[in-house]
Amino acid sequence: GAEIDALTKALTNPKRPLVAIVGGSKVSSKLTILKSLASKVDQLIVGGGIANTFLLADGKRIGDSLAEADLVKEAHAIMDIMKARGAEVPLPVDVVVADEVSALARANKISVDDVATHDRILDVGPKTAAKLSEIIANAGTIVWNGPVGVFELPQFAGGTKMLASAIAHSEAFSIAGGGDTLAAIAKFHIHDDVGYISTGGGAFLEFLEGKTLPAIAVLEERATK
């Protein structure tokens, strides 16, 4: 079906550079995806709590930000796999912090090196958003799964909004999926500018994890007979 075609186009013989954006709160829920993509993509953009764990792995202080300290080693390994291939995990250079996640929280834009003890990183800063937009503008294929900040709140939506806009304006073939990604696409009105939107999360995630989808397996079997 259309989904298999889009997924196959995006990952088996992609137009390069192949850029993946993996956001969301936890590395643990997307570890297999990150590992699978690390051996394929040219740039692996991480966002949300996942980026915080990578920042921790990179030796940065992240204050009270959501992160998984027990997965720092895994994050390190992923960065090493990418580096060995001459590929990159572009980490935030600036961030938007607050002392709480709420509609009333005061957002401060600061350098990633200035994160204080009680700061929570809730979005990427403008310099980072510009850098990521440039990577997206030059991409051949984009795979998007997850926002780069708490985009539900306006003061932490800037990074994801800029990213969405960059994807919408990019010449690249883009494929997006996952619940929070669909919410961001709807919020920033870019539905018509994404090459393929996967609404059935499961198949999309399994594909990113490098699992062969049943439909593809059947086709391959037919081909060998």
Side-chain angles (χ1 to χ4, degrees), residues 48-74:
I50 292 175
N52 298 340
T53 301
F54 275 79
L55 284 170
L56 212 51
D58 200 41
K60 301 281 191 231
R61 289 191 300 270
I62 60 164
D64 275 340
S65 306
L66 175 74
E68 292 167 293
D70 55 329
L71 288 176
V72 159
K73 239 164 131 175
E74 302 277 12

Side-chain angles (χ1 to χ4, degrees), residues 23-24 47-49 121-124 146-153 156-160 180:
I121 300 172
L122 299 173
D123 192 14
V124 294
V148 293
V150 184
F151 73 95
E152 295 85 354
L153 299 171
F156 309 118
T160 303
D180 39 9

